[in-house]
Amino acid sequence: MSALSHRPSDPIVGQPVPHESARLHVTGQALYTDDIAARTPEVLTAWPVQSPHPHARVRTVDTAAALAIPGVVRVLTGADVPGINDCGGRGDEPLFPSEAMFHGHAVAWVLAEDQHTARAAAGAVAVDYEVLPSLVSVRDAIAAGSFQGTPKTVSRGDAQAALATAHRVFTGVTEFSGQEHFYLETQAALATVDEGGQLFVQSSTQHPSETQEILAHVLNRPHHEVTVQSLRMGGGFGGKEMQSHGFAAIAALGTLLTGRPVRVRLNRTLDMTMTGKRHGFHTTWEAGFAEDGMLLALKAQLTSDGGWCLDLSEAVLARALCHVDNAYFIPNVDVQGRVARTNKTSQTAFRGFGGPQGMLLIEDILGRSAPLLGLAPEQLRRKNFYREGQSTPYGMPVRHAKRIATVWDQVLERSDFATRRNEIDAFNTSHTDQKRGLSITPVKFGISFNFVAFNQAGALVHVYKDGSVLINHGGTEMGQGLHTKMLQVAATALGVPLDSVRLAPTRTDKVPNTSATAASSGSDLNGGAVKNACEQIVERLSVVAGGMLGASAHDVRISHGTVTALGVKNKSFPFSEVVSVAYLQRVQLWAAGFYRTEGLHWNAETMQGEPFKYFACGAAVAEVEVDGFTGTYTQRRVDIVHDAGDSLSPIVDIGQIEGGYVQGAGWLTLEDLRWDEGTGPTRGRLLTQSASTYKLPSFSEMPEIFNVHLLEHAQEEGAVYGSKAVGEPPFMLAFSVREALRAAVAAFGPKGHSVTLASPATPEAVFWAVQESHEAATAARISAIVEP
């Protein structure tokens, strides 16, 4: 076993400890970016001037009327930018656009003494627009040939030839919507400047180093003159990986031009109309099967709705292409991907980062194909699982492939699947207007950033003379428990009690050049760096302790704050005393740690290589009941078994699994993004721009019974303390509820009826699917009467 994976005999990791800020959260004491702004004297508030058109050239911006309003200090425009007028990573995202590219696009920003004044002044800014043609839907973009970025293809074998010889070939179109992040804390930033011109920005961001980089080039300053801090976020889910940078840039520009602190804090409507969402996809496909149901070939065209600029769309598409297989071996594959350009918000990272979109395609294909093949869906899925020795279409061996079957078999047993299947069949036979559905789906999700260079992290660990410990790392906390895990890693690696370790906010002047907290890699990367820093300190302290104990440094052991040595009886020292002696001996008591994920290689041009450190697996069983009159449904029960390796923090991980499943169920069944696609004056406007029009999962949508279990004896070699990432993979466990809805709808129809289910499968969509099943049942009865 590697040193990275090895755990001591009595570790702090693996213990069920509460979230490090849980008490602060529930008492309202936890501070967020705008809480700090509210405590900052003389702070100015920024408010956007938004385009009322989905696509329009900005002819002129007249700020005179706005500046005449008492309390207005300044109106920011593109002429104020001293550096590069761009807040993205691809040079296609102007901070102040000369061409508005979506309804709600900010073309200028007002700075005023308070929000009310700033908002009123934004309405007084007169902008002369030349309205231009717009594309609102991805279908329109496909028809117009409107694409951006570089198309990508993942291929293996000869899909066309395999389709030509397959026993059965099915074709179809699978479309699915995007998803609003709806983090509780909206986008926020606070900028201040000191007497020396040093800029300090507090930002609700998942990527402080990239925020620093964007600010530096917008303001034409070197990186060392810009410090970015992320104290904590009230949710991120990917929406604050890239899209937080522009708001931080507005605050930073404002404070440099006025000399006063400037805050940006979007209200919910602004946040929903100005920020990107999960990418919706339009896919066309052909799938070929052997007579026994084995997958032979898949040919597909994936088109993502990228919105007005690239943002992270190419990387999202690449991960989607690498996850079309999910848990299934497909010998012949030709899957092409492209990014559509539409006049909507620029779609961005979202939990799963394209993985859910790719995996939903194959799950939809299998769900639609199973009845046509005369197989139960769970049979079709199980027989196509990866086996040991097989590789993905992009050339990566599926190590520990048997874990897919292990979690599958365990959740079948824990959910009493076979017995409940019989009970549901009996219920459906005796009930005409209500039907139940039961389904099981797997998850195989790759862990690491697609871009190899991002798979690195740093940490800074201080041991003070009293033995207390302060840690900094490059990861950000958005409620997912990363800081909790890092405290446990540090306490375990140093051998000290958990309460002797404190964590400092994430800052670019403490740990530089960090990667985003994304791709489920936060614990793997930052945990490796924290552990590395702690081990450097332990190595130095062991030499000191060895002298104190009369033993070799190699025999020194530190556990729960007590320092002992092998072979030395009845003699020990408190950790704090060894630290004090080490200080007197001028031994360094702090260390900078570093970690890089080994074994990764990826060719983005050929889409071949090993882009992931490992795969995280899981399986879920969901049971639903559908009302045939209304299409409404309830989740009766959900059972999950998930592979989190040897969990660093079980309570945190189970919470992530529960939350991920619920968020995934929201995407698949409730959350229906709508834009005005008409030709009137509100064309391109987001129609679902508040909680009253955008339906989020609530208590009433939660499963009545919700069982979550972590896979046991699942240590991952080569990962910090044998753990596995758990942020994104559970999201895809929600495929089970969509497939359970398909099964319930199918029960209204004849045997062998294939159900096409919209996504999201809202009650309205389910109602129409039920009507189609009724029509199929009627047609089958007529056919049985007519035919002899």
Side-chain angles (χ1 to χ4, degrees):
M1 183 184 298
S2 66
L4 181 64
S5 302
H6 174 72
R7 291 191 179 193
S9 58
D10 192 13
I12 304 297
V13 293
Q15 294 185 14
V17 303
H19 190 286
E20 49 89 24
S21 291
R23 188 178 299 275
L24 299 178
H25 290 159
V26 300
T27 60
Q29 294 175 283
L31 293 179
Y32 296 87
T33 298
D34 201 55
D35 295 319
I36 301 168
R39 300 177 178 204
T40 304
E42 299 187 334
V43 66
L44 297 174
T45 295
W47 197 269
V49 179
Q50 294 182 276
S51 167
H53 310 290
H55 191 197
R57 185 171 292 109
V58 179
R59 289 186 176 125
T60 60
V61 178
D62 186 350
T63 63
L67 292 170
I69 297 175
V72 174
V73 175
R74 187 158 185 150
V75 179
L76 302 179
T77 67
D80 294 312
V81 177
I84 301 171
N85 181 28
D86 191 273
C87 59
R90 301 296 300 271
D92 64 345
E93 197 169 343
L95 185 61
F96 296 95
S98 59
E99 193 174 308
M101 296 297 289
F102 64 93
H103 194 290
H105 202 166
V107 299
W109 288 78
V110 173
L111 304 182
E113 297 290 349
D114 57 67
Q115 178 176 300
H116 176 76
T117 303
R119 186 172 186 172
V125 174
V127 183
D128 182 23
Y129 295 99
E130 177 191 348
V131 179
L132 301 172
S134 58
L135 300 169
V136 178
S137 74
V138 67
R139 284 177 173 266
D140 288 345
I142 293 172
S146 177
F147 303 104
Q148 55 187 325
T150 305
K152 298 291 184 182
T153 300
V154 169
S155 63
R156 173 173 61 190
D158 190 335
Q160 193 60 50
L163 287 168
T165 59
H167 175 70
R168 297 291 300 274
V169 175
F170 305 113
T171 64
V173 175
T174 299
E175 294 180 281
F176 37 91
S177 182
Q179 185 179 20
E180 169 62 37
H181 296 89
F182 219 102
Y183 25 65
L184 291 181
E185 178 204 23
T186 56
Q187 297 280 359
L190 170 67
T192 56
V193 62
D194 67 15
E195 74 283 355
Q198 287 281 327
L199 188 68
F200 181 59
V201 179
Q202 309 238 30
S203 177
S204 184
T205 179
Q206 295 174 233
H207 201 343
S209 287
E210 191 165 60
T211 302
Q212 176 192 38
E213 183 178 352
I214 296 295
L215 297 183
H217 81 233
V218 168
L219 303 173
N220 194 26
R221 292 187 170 219
H223 290 194
H224 74 264
E225 290 186 11
V226 180
T227 298
V228 177
Q229 174 174 293
S230 178
L231 176 61
R232 60 167 59 84
M233 287 167 278
F237 310 117
K240 296 175 181 176
E241 182 175 346
M242 282 290 294
Q243 304 222 338
S244 56
H245 306 330
F247 304 113
I250 293 299
L253 180 62
T255 198
L256 288 179
L257 292 175
T258 65
R260 293 175 59 178
V262 173
R263 76 200 294 184
V264 174
R265 196 269 297 165
L266 305 186
N267 66 17
R268 183 61 63 185
T269 299
L270 287 178
D271 200 289
M272 294 186 73
T273 57
M274 294 178 69
T275 66
K277 294 82 171 71
R278 180 184 296 281
H279 293 73
F281 272 58
H282 175 280
T283 64
T284 58
W285 52 267
E286 298 176 75
F289 293 86
E291 191 170 359
D292 61 356
M294 295 298 292
L295 270 164
L296 296 178
L298 173 63
K299 186 174 182 179
Q301 172 75 71
L302 280 65
T303 305
S304 74
D305 187 350
W308 73 277
C309 69
L310 269 175
D311 194 273
L312 292 168
S313 293
E314 288 183 309
V316 168
L317 178 65
R319 185 169 281 261
L321 293 173
C322 290
H323 282 79
V324 164
D325 57 327
N326 191 13
Y328 313 107
F329 177 70
I330 312 172
N332 299 282
V333 174
D334 181 9
V335 182
Q336 301 176 14
R338 58 190 177 179
V339 180
R341 186 194 301 274
T342 56
N343 293 111
K344 290 192 286 198
T345 55
S346 181
Q347 317 316 356
T348 191
F350 201 127
R351 195 176 198 168
F353 202 80
Q357 291 95 315
M359 294 159 71
L360 179 57
L361 173 60
I362 190 64
E363 293 301 337
D364 192 53
I365 291 171
L366 295 179
R368 290 161 70 168
S369 301
L372 302 177
L373 292 167
L375 294 171
E378 61 270 18
Q379 292 177 316
L380 181 60
R381 289 184 166 93
R382 180 65 175 82
K383 69 165 46 191
N384 281 289
F385 281 172
Y386 274 105
R387 296 176 175 83
E388 295 296 334
Q390 293 178 332
S391 298
T392 67
Y394 48 91
M396 180 170 175
V398 181
R399 291 179 283 272
H400 307 304
K402 61 184 179 183
R403 284 198 186 182
I404 302 171
T406 299
V407 295
W408 179 274
D409 293 341
Q410 285 192 16
V411 79
L412 282 175
E413 182 179 354
R414 286 183 176 275
S415 66
D416 199 14
F417 188 93
T419 299
R420 288 167 59 203
R421 164 70 80 199
N422 293 332
E423 292 172 350
I424 287 171
D425 288 345
F427 176 91
N428 289 342
T429 299
S430 60
H431 289 75
T432 303
D433 301 317
Q434 288 81 33
K435 302 292 184 182
R436 292 176 181 173
L438 184 69
S439 180
I440 177 172
T441 57
V443 166
K444 175 187 68 67
F445 188 82
I447 302 299
S448 290
F449 284 98
N450 295 64
F451 184 52
V452 174
F454 287 164
N455 295 286
Q456 59 175 300
L460 186 62
V461 176
H462 296 166
V463 175
Y464 293 98
K465 288 188 287 184
D466 65 349
S468 63
V469 181
L470 179 70
I471 64 173
N472 283 90
H473 63 88
T476 57
E477 176 64 48
M478 61 195 90
Q480 83 279 32
L482 175 61
H483 285 351
T484 307
K485 289 184 173 183
M486 295 305 96
L487 290 169
Q488 290 181 266
V489 168
T492 299
L494 289 171
V496 299
L498 186 62
D499 61 8
S500 68
V501 185
R502 188 174 76 81
L503 191 138
T506 307
R507 286 173 59 127
T508 58
D509 61 353
K510 297 297 187 292
V511 180
N513 309 322
T514 58
S515 298
T517 304
S520 302
S521 63
S523 295
D524 284 0
L525 297 180
N526 294 289
V530 168
K531 187 171 185 286
N532 174 251
C534 292
E535 287 172 345
Q536 294 177 46
I537 296 169
V538 167
E539 185 176 0
R540 297 173 198 143
L541 290 177
S542 294
V543 175
V544 176
M548 296 169 67
L549 291 164
S552 167
H554 296 292
D555 293 332
V556 170
R557 300 292 183 269
I558 307 175
S559 179
H560 295 276
T562 300
V563 184
T564 58
L566 299 177
V568 179
K569 296 182 179 180
N570 303 320
K571 192 174 184 180
S572 63
F573 293 96
F575 180 79
S576 58
E577 187 173 342
V578 175
V579 168
S580 180
V581 172
Y583 170 76
L584 294 174
Q585 294 181 8
R586 298 183 294 178
V587 173
Q588 183 179 334
L589 293 173
W590 58 271
F594 182 75
Y595 174 78
R596 52 174 283 174
T597 308
E598 300 293 344
L600 306 180
H601 60 92
W602 179 244
N603 187 320
E605 299 301 318
T606 62
M607 296 289 285
Q608 291 290 308
E610 297 191 27
F612 307 122
K613 178 66 175 176
Y614 55 81
F615 294 105
C617 302
V621 170
E623 179 183 342
V624 300
E625 182 174 320
V626 170
D627 184 291
F629 291 114
T630 64
T632 57
Y633 44 82
T634 56
Q635 291 191 64
R636 290 173 48 80
R637 177 173 168 178
V638 171
D639 293 87
I640 291 170
V641 174
H642 191 77
D643 173 17
D646 198 350
S647 173
L648 292 176
S649 193
I651 289 179
V652 168
D653 284 348
I654 288 175
Q656 284 291 288
I657 294 166
E658 292 171 341
Y661 173 87
V662 171
Q663 192 173 48
W667 173 52
L668 293 168
T669 67
L670 293 172
E671 301 179 39
D672 194 7
L673 284 169
R674 297 289 182 93
W675 277 268
D676 187 339
E677 297 181 19
T679 57
T682 59
R683 175 175 170 79
R685 177 178 177 265
L686 179 66
L687 299 174
T688 50
Q689 56 181 251
S690 68
S692 63
T693 52
Y694 184 77
K695 176 60 178 169
L696 292 163
S698 60
F699 285 118
S700 61
E701 283 79 40
M702 290 288 288
E704 295 171 0
I705 301 172
F706 199 178
N707 300 316
V708 176
H709 298 276
L710 299 179
L711 181 66
E712 297 177 353
H713 312 298
Q715 185 179 67
E716 180 65 27
E717 171 59 28
V720 61
Y721 287 127
S723 64
K724 273 189 175 182
V726 78
E728 293 170 299
F731 183 93
M732 283 70 76
L733 293 167
F735 292 147
S736 59
V737 68
R738 185 173 186 270
E739 292 305 305
L741 286 171
R742 192 196 305 274
V745 171
F748 287 96
K751 183 178 177 59
H753 174 56
S754 177
V755 172
T756 300
L757 196 60
S759 186
T762 61
E764 294 87 347
V766 170
F767 173 80
W768 292 116
V770 169
Q771 296 308 300
E772 291 179 1
S773 288
H774 282 313
E775 291 169 4
T778 300
R781 286 194 295 271
I782 293 172
S783 177
I785 294 171
V786 172
E787 293 180 5

